[in-house]
Structures are given as C-alpha cells and as structure tokens.
Amino acid sequence: MRRLDPVILCKSRTATEAGEIMENDDDTKEDPQSQVKNSVSMEKNCCDEDTFRLHMVTWNVATADPPDDISSLLHLSSPKTPDLYVIGLQEVYSAPHRFIIDMAVEDSWSHLFMSSLAPRGYLKVSSTRMQGLLLLFFSKLAHVPFIRDIQDTYSRTGISGYWGNKGGVSIRLSFYGHMLCFLNCHLAAHMQYASQRVDEFEYILDTQTFDPKKTPHILDHKLVFWFGDLNFRIQDHGMHFLRNCITSHKFNLLWSKEQLTMMKKTEALLQEFDEGPLDFQPTYKFDRFSDCYDSSGKMRKPAWTDRILWRVKPKEPPPEEEKDEDRDSGLDEKNTKNQQEEEEFPLKLKQDSYTSNMEYGVSDHKPVIGIFTLELRKMYETPLVRVCAEGEWSADFDAMVIYSPLQPFPSSAWDWIGLYKVGFRSVSDYITYTWVKDDEVSFNDELTQVYVSKDEIPALGGECVLCYYCSTLQCIVGISSPFKVHESKVAVEEGLAPENIDGLEKAS
C-alpha cells in the first residue's frame, strides 16, 4: 500500500511514465440507506433501462454562503430519483483568500451538494471551477463504470477575455458511449448588451476544445446543455406592465420582448438550441431573503436571466444529397459511419419540468431547475473490469482483491483499486488503495489477485465497495458489489475506543 494520493500521482504522470501504458492481453420513495444499497448493486437489471432521469440546476448565488438545506432544490423527497445531477453555479465567492482555500479543500457549495447526495448513492464524477463559475456532475453509482472520456475546460470573457468573472466552464463525457457536454455560462450583464452576450457564447464555442479524435468541439457532441446566468433581459415594457404580468401569471405577454427569444429569430446558431416555455416567474432581481423584486434605488426590471437550453446534434445529411464538388471520400466515410451510429444508437431528450424555486433567498437570483428524460440505446452494457473482495475482510488479517478485465482497455502500472465506504462522495474519498501491479500476488489469463495489508483495513469495519481506477482513462471502470468489512476482534478484545481506531467514521 502507498499513502500518496493516487489521483494526483496519475494526473501528474510524465510522458516517459505514460509510455508504460500497455494494452490488455485480450485485445415508491426509499430511505437514503436503501437508495445507497440499490444504486451500488451492479445487477444487470439495474443498468439495463434505456431511459434516464436528469436533474439540472442553475443558480447565481451572488457570493452568498449556501443555505442549510437544499432538499427541495434537489427534489430529494420525490419518489422519482434522478440518475444524474448537473449543478451549475455562478458568482460563487472567489475573493483571493477564499479561492486559494477552496482550491486546497473543497468549497462550501461543493461540500453541501456532495454531503446531500452521497448518502443517497450519488458520486461526484467530475467538477470544474473558474473563479465564481462552478460546475458539478453527479451520477448514481451503478452508472459510473459507463461514464468515460471525461474532460473539462473553461473560457474567460470578462475584461477583454483576461478575467474569469464572466465566461463558461464545461464538462464533457461519454454516457454509455453517447457523447454529452454541459456548458455553464455567466455572460455580460445589462440591458444593452444582448448582442455581446451572443458574441461571448460564440467565442466560448470556438475556443473550448477537447480530444480531437472524438468530439473536438462542443457542437460535435451528440447532446449539449447550455445553461447558467445568460443575463438576457426583457426590453421595452415598463415596470408597471412587467409587474402586473408577473403578479397575474400572464408570463406569455412578456415573451415577445424577451431578448433571447428575440435573438433566436435572427441568429442561426441560437435556433439550434431548444428551451422549454418560460412559464415561471422571472428569477432576477430580488431583495435578498424575500419574494419581492428589487426595491433599491436602481429598481432593476425583473428578467429571466437564468436559463437551461439544449441541443441534440442534427442528423448527418445523406452523402447522395451533397454536391459532387463538395464530396470527399473520407468525409463520405465519416458521414456514413455517423449515420449508422445514429440509426443503431439513437438518443432522444424530453423535458419534464422547467421552473424556478422561490423558497431560497440567500441570493438576488432564484435557482432554476430543469428535469429531463434521456432516452438512448446503450453502446455497451458491460464494465471494463470486474472487481470483488475475496473471502472475509477484517483488520485482523491481510486481504485479497480479485479483478478480471471483461473488455480490452489501456491498463497501466498506474492503475489502482480503492476501498471505499458505501456512500462515498468522490473518487478521492477512498479509505485506502492498492496499486494493481506493485501489489499483485498472482494472475492468469482470466483473473488477477492483489494484496491488501491488514494495517490498511479499517478496524471498526462497515459496508464497503472496491473501485478499479484506470489512470489512462482517468475514471472508474469497475465497481464491486457491497461487502462487509468485519470489526477487528483484536481491537475489541484490547478495548480500543473508536476514537483511537483509524476506522470508517474517521475516514469519512
């Protein structure tokens, strides 16, 4: 066992170390504990459904500390539990001293979301931050081995592109083989800058790039979500008319003068993105801890600044419809391949709900929630690695992990297997870990045994899982079923108090 953080070690590999990579030889409502057990279970019927529920939140938090409870924001009491959560925040407090602290330890907002979702069986798969922009992606544990190709990036648009108070952060990934991208933006403020907001969006699309082999640009992804504080306003209407329409819930009378709606009529790029009806109160600007719109001297007009839009990639045109002079054999081959994939592995998206949550008052913005049903045919249903605990585990004797590759993948000497408490929050939340090559005991063509020292096993025991982390793919590619680590008999006989044992409670 090694005590250095394997996540950091894997990410800091040099080019020489990367050369060690080698191909494998064979090229109703439930309580939180029940939800954890169900989501951890890797039984086939848990992951075979082709329909997935996605819960998205965008919220400009205006540098405020998080509220005590976010249950209603995440719909934690709903009998319909999401498969994925995507949280986009803007204006997270990022003064220099706080930002440095947040980089060293998780920020208070991330901590709150992780603490709220982990007990219900959700893992933080990825996160990225640029100053006040924060993007978090959570998944039920059962889906985690099928989430790959994870990358994140950002673009600054504030102060001539040098300052990150405005701009966009994105996370892209493959979900059962389908490429998805989530773009959280905070665009230029004020009524008169509608065109600048569109220019900033186009700049972000142009400057954010990913792995060139698959989906080098945002719009190359099969499904893109564009959301955040987009800052579009309602123009022309006077304050009295605005407030009357809001009070009487006649929101449709305001749509024709809503800037993003107006811009979509002339901007071809915006026409590619869909959005549900704005059938909820404008989410800006409120007096804090109140449902009253701005009562300050500035009396800012209410606006739907906070939005969630999406784009499903258009189908490739049939090659025969292209002009001969524009055709290229390589392009034809690529288009044909894309068409075949679209037909064999379709993807559809339906929005089930689009609304704001008025109960939170820590910010001058109200959060916006979008709930979606994602329908797709999985490109693969088998994890890359099967991993399990061999025999009985306790801190009284050394233990063994068994793993076996189920498909060819780029394994490496930097791969590791982590021991986690059921309900862990992120890949870095391990109790301990073992390198798959350094601690290898035996192997054959079908399986490999890896040694775990008893000194690394928690003495208090508890429900645990094992996760195989592939350093080349930078993600978890195999998760064991839950198993029990028994309490150490030696610790009990010696009367060691829990506070003196390096157990699960201390580790978590």
Side-chain angles (χ1 to χ4, degrees):
M1 289 287 181
R2 310 292 189 273
R3 300 311 303 166
L4 296 175
D5 191 333
V7 179
I8 297 174
L9 284 173
C10 292
K11 288 185 176 180
S12 62
R13 289 182 306 159
T14 63
T16 303
E17 291 165 334
E20 298 176 5
I21 295 169
M22 48 201 165
E23 289 294 329
N24 221 310
D25 290 338
D26 185 12
D27 257 49
T28 60
K29 184 167 63 176
E30 300 173 311
D31 63 90
Q33 288 302 319
S34 297
Q35 290 182 26
V36 171
K37 293 286 182 67
N38 289 340
S39 67
V40 168
S41 173
M42 298 304 295
E43 293 296 324
K44 187 176 180 181
N45 61 5
C46 181
C47 288
D48 258 5
E49 295 298 324
D50 288 334
T51 299
F52 305 90
R53 190 171 175 86
L54 170 61
H55 187 112
M56 297 190 65
V57 175
T58 179
W59 192 4
N60 183 321
V61 298
T63 73
D65 289 329
D68 295 331
D69 182 59
I70 52 173
S71 297
S72 67
L73 184 68
L74 301 176
H75 293 187
L76 296 184
S77 61
S78 172
K80 296 181 178 180
T81 58
D83 296 277
L84 306 172
Y85 278 97
V86 181
I87 315 295
L89 304 181
Q90 306 85 41
E91 291 193 27
V92 175
Y93 185 57
S94 57
H97 69 283
R98 174 71 74 87
F99 190 72
I100 292 171
I101 294 172
D102 289 348
M103 292 297 101
V105 296
E106 66 196 19
D107 64 274
S108 57
W109 284 95
S110 295
H111 177 82
L112 177 63
F113 283 107
M114 292 166 71
S115 300
S116 300
L117 291 172
R120 290 167 169 80
Y122 294 92
L123 179 70
K124 188 194 78 172
V125 175
S126 184
S127 66
T128 185
R129 182 175 177 185
M130 179 185 72
Q131 287 181 221
L133 276 165
L134 176 64
L135 180 56
L136 304 166
F137 182 93
F138 294 87
S139 169
K140 278 186 175 178
L141 197 59
H143 303 308
V144 169
F146 306 97
I147 300 174
R148 305 169 192 168
D149 304 305
I150 305 167
Q151 289 183 271
D152 61 80
T153 188
Y154 61 88
S155 300
R156 301 183 181 96
T157 60
I159 310 180
S160 302
Y162 292 103
W163 192 243
N165 64 321
K166 296 289 194 297
V169 294
S170 61
I171 293 173
R172 82 80 174 269
L173 49 86
S174 68
F175 184 67
Y176 290 97
H178 297 262
M179 299 304 299
L180 315 180
C181 185
F182 301 88
L183 173 61
N184 173 26
C185 289
H186 191 188
L187 304 180
H190 304 304
M191 181 75 72
Q192 66 270 31
Y193 294 123
S195 295
Q196 181 176 329
R197 289 188 270 276
V198 176
D199 291 342
E200 289 178 353
F201 177 48
E202 292 178 345
Y203 171 80
I204 291 168
L205 294 181
D206 289 340
T207 56
Q208 294 199 0
T209 57
F210 304 98
D211 180 0
K213 294 180 181 179
K214 295 186 177 181
T215 48
H217 302 286
I218 290 176
L219 297 184
D220 293 326
H221 292 75
K222 188 173 284 189
L223 175 61
V224 177
F225 285 96
W226 172 38
F227 56 106
D229 181 359
L230 307 186
N231 253 322
F232 290 99
R233 309 302 171 100
I234 302 170
Q235 63 186 45
D236 296 339
H237 292 310
M239 183 68 79
H240 181 72
F241 180 78
L242 265 172
R243 297 204 172 189
N244 277 346
C245 290
I246 294 169
T247 303
S248 59
H249 285 209
K250 295 179 179 178
F251 306 123
N252 60 305
L253 299 180
L254 304 175
W255 294 347
S256 64
K257 296 298 182 180
E258 195 281 316
Q259 288 181 333
L260 181 53
T261 304
M262 296 171 69
M263 298 292 284
K264 287 185 75 169
K265 294 178 180 179
T266 58
E267 296 287 342
L269 173 62
L270 299 182
Q271 292 169 11
E272 296 182 20
F273 285 81
D274 294 311
E275 183 180 20
L278 296 170
D279 241 348
F280 53 88
Q281 281 188 239
T283 52
Y284 175 82
K285 175 183 175 94
F286 287 87
D287 293 337
R288 295 196 188 219
F289 300 102
S290 125
D291 290 340
C292 299
Y293 285 102
D294 187 14
S295 63
S296 70
K298 294 183 178 180
M299 291 285 287
R300 291 183 179 87
K301 287 183 178 181
W304 285 291
T305 56
D306 310 284
R307 313 286 280 272
I308 302 174
L309 295 90
W310 70 93
R311 174 189 184 266
V312 177
K313 188 178 180 182
K315 291 184 178 181
E316 299 283 350
E320 59 269 21
E321 291 183 6
E322 299 176 19
K323 295 180 180 179
D324 290 340
E325 60 266 25
D326 294 332
R327 290 179 62 174
D328 174 273
S329 59
L331 184 60
D332 278 354
E333 184 178 344
K334 182 180 178 181
N335 287 347
T336 302
K337 183 179 179 181
N338 289 340
Q339 288 171 4
Q340 291 173 346
E341 182 179 299
E342 288 171 2
E343 293 172 2
E344 188 176 356
F345 301 103
L347 178 148
K348 297 178 182 179
L349 188 76
K350 177 173 70 77
Q351 187 171 58
D352 302 314
S353 174
Y354 190 34
T355 187
S356 59
N357 188 314
M358 299 297 293
E359 77 174 73
Y360 293 100
V362 297
S363 168
D364 55 357
H365 291 249
K366 301 296 183 183
V368 169
I369 300 168
I371 297 176
F372 299 86
T373 297
L374 178 61
E375 298 180 15
L376 57 83
R377 185 170 299 154
K378 300 173 185 175
M379 294 187 185
Y380 40 75
E381 301 188 53
T382 305
L384 295 177
V385 175
R386 178 183 290 118
V387 59
C388 64
E390 183 179 21
E392 186 176 296
W393 278 49
S394 86
D396 295 330
F397 43 81
D398 298 336
M400 290 289 178
V401 177
I402 297 176
Y403 75 88
S404 56
L406 301 179
Q407 300 178 48
F409 75 100
S411 63
S412 162
W414 289 88
D415 291 1
W416 51 275
I417 297 172
L419 175 67
Y420 294 87
K421 179 183 178 182
V422 168
F424 68 105
R425 305 185 308 167
S426 71
V427 70
S428 300
D429 208 14
Y430 51 82
I431 299 166
T432 187
Y433 64 91
T434 180
W435 297 106
V436 297
K437 299 300 180 184
D438 289 0
D439 299 308
E440 184 180 286
V441 176
S442 65
F443 73 95
N444 56 37
D445 292 341
E446 295 182 357
L447 58 86
T448 302
Q449 285 184 315
V450 181
Y451 162 86
V452 181
S453 169
K454 64 182 181 181
D455 296 331
E456 303 291 345
I457 298 174
L460 292 182
E463 288 288 315
C464 295
V465 294
L466 295 164
C467 296
Y468 187 111
Y469 184 89
C470 175
S471 66
T472 305
L473 299 178
Q474 295 284 301
C475 63
I476 292 172
V477 296
I479 302 177
S480 75
S481 297
F483 64 97
K484 184 175 180 60
V485 176
H486 296 278
E487 187 177 56
S488 168
K489 294 179 181 178
V490 173
V492 173
E493 290 171 359
E494 295 181 359
L496 295 179
E499 58 266 24
N500 295 326
I501 301 176
D502 186 22
L504 293 181
E505 286 79 3
K506 184 176 179 182
S508 62

